[in-house]
Amino acid sequence: MKKILAYLLMISLSSNITFANTFLNQNTVNIAAPVSGKLGNEYFICANGRYCSTEDVVKEYYEHLGYKVMRAEVTFWQGMFALAFYDEIFSENKNSYNDIPSDLFKDEFYTNRKKIIDTKYEYLKSSNISEYITKQLLMHRDTNTRLLTDAPIAKSSNCLEYFQTQIVQEFLTKISPYAFALITYRIAQNPNKNRAGVPDFIIWNDTELIFVEVKRDKEKIRPAQMEWLSFLQENNLKNLVVRVSPIKPYLH
């Protein structure tokens, strides 16, 4: 029996690896930028000569191609989840609309609220996302919950501030209710696990919207990131891995 289980596990792992390799081969864009000789967020040199990060290189690359580029990592989608399911999150704690409920990062969070979370998910799939999130921002702008006030995004001090910027407001008119509902619902089903690994950027133009994971040329994709990329792929939401390779300085 142990041999059979081990064999089945090996087949499963092999299948997952094959899927991942095929997916990455078909959904990877490779770009290059000169290096500065520095480390960390100043490793590359952007077009204007400033030292910049891997993410800055990708942002500049797609903006040059005419895309709007929005930062959208863990904090962003955690905040969108918080606004989308605000009443459901705090349904077990009706008189305390601040901080976080005690079961938020435990397995029972979703099971405790399954009916109302599933109902909100169905509502989101056919709602006007821009109007709904704007209404939620106005309603909960004085909240104290860490889900919305804890961490800075881009140049904004927290989610509440960032979500009111022009780039986010435009994004809310571009993403389909179906896509928005799917992503926030996945987080709602297991906030502790599923908030991690979302792609770094969302980019769009007049014809498409793409989720973009940014990596250096040899940097590995973490399991949580691969799970999100696979989820997006399975639900026909366009996504890419963009790898940035260094252009070494020419030595005379």
Side-chain angles (χ1 to χ4, degrees):
M1 179 61 73
K2 289 183 179 180
K3 288 183 178 180
I4 293 174
L5 290 174
Y7 177 70
L8 291 174
L9 178 60
M10 184 172 65
I11 292 175
S12 175
L13 290 173
S14 176
S15 176
N16 289 339
I17 292 170
T18 300
F19 170 81
N21 288 338
T22 301
F23 167 80
L24 293 175
N25 288 337
Q26 294 174 347
N27 294 272
T28 297
V29 172
N30 295 290
I31 62 177
V35 295
S36 65
K38 294 181 176 291
L39 299 175
N41 289 333
E42 295 185 335
Y43 183 74
F44 289 105
I45 302 175
C46 282
N48 58 6
R50 69 185 175 89
Y51 298 156
C52 60
S53 67
T54 313
E55 289 79 7
D56 290 332
V57 172
V58 174
K59 183 174 187 291
E60 186 175 84
Y61 173 81
Y62 278 103
E63 286 177 341
H64 180 71
L65 293 177
Y67 287 87
K68 296 293 182 68
V69 182
M70 184 187 73
R71 193 77 183 187
E73 289 182 289
V74 176
T75 304
F76 175 84
W77 280 111
Q78 177 178 278
M80 282 296 171
F81 151 68
L83 285 180
F85 292 92
Y86 198 95
D87 291 330
E88 292 74 23
I89 290 169
F90 292 101
S91 63
E92 303 290 309
N93 213 1
K94 297 185 189 304
N95 296 319
S96 181
Y97 282 82
N98 52 50
D99 204 16
I100 58 175
S102 59
D103 65 345
L104 182 65
F105 299 126
K106 297 179 180 178
D107 291 342
E108 60 265 27
F109 170 78
Y110 174 65
T111 55
N112 285 347
R113 300 162 173 78
K114 184 179 187 305
K115 184 176 181 180
I116 56 175
I117 285 177
D118 288 357
T119 299
K120 176 60 68 66
Y121 167 59
E122 293 299 325
Y123 168 78
L124 290 171
K125 286 196 295 185
S126 59
S127 68
N128 183 313
I129 296 301
S130 179
E131 288 183 1
Y132 177 72
I133 294 298
T134 298
K135 182 187 74 173
Q136 291 292 85
L137 279 169
L138 289 172
M139 189 177 300
H140 302 300
R141 60 188 173 188
D142 296 324
T143 183
N144 292 319
T145 178
R146 285 179 281 166
L147 296 172
L148 294 168
T149 63
D150 222 14
I153 309 177
K155 296 180 180 179
S156 300
S157 60
N158 56 43
C159 290
L160 290 169
E161 183 179 313
Y162 186 56
F163 290 172
Q164 296 175 71
T165 61
Q166 183 177 347
I167 190 74
V168 176
Q169 288 296 307
E170 182 175 332
F171 159 75
L172 292 170
T173 68
K174 295 294 183 179
I175 191 168
S176 70
Y178 168 77
F180 184 90
L182 277 176
I183 293 168
T184 53
Y185 181 58
R186 184 172 190 263
I187 296 173
Q189 289 174 299
N190 191 334
N192 187 47
K193 176 178 179 290
N194 292 341
R195 61 192 175 128
V198 287
D200 299 285
F201 289 122
I202 298 173
I203 67 173
W204 65 87
N205 57 22
D206 291 338
T207 60
E208 60 183 353
L209 183 144
I210 310 171
F211 297 82
V212 175
E213 179 63 43
V214 176
K215 292 290 180 186
R216 293 266 186 96
D217 56 337
K218 297 179 181 178
E219 188 178 359
K220 291 183 178 180
I221 295 177
R222 300 195 307 272
Q225 294 170 334
M226 193 67 232
E227 286 177 15
W228 268 107
L229 292 170
S230 299
F231 174 81
L232 295 170
Q233 187 76 6
E234 289 164 4
N235 287 285
N236 299 312
L237 301 176
K238 191 168 183 179
N239 58 96
L240 293 172
V241 176
V242 180
R243 291 191 176 277
V244 183
S245 300
I247 300 174
K248 302 295 184 182
Y250 177 73
L251 300 177
H252 296 281

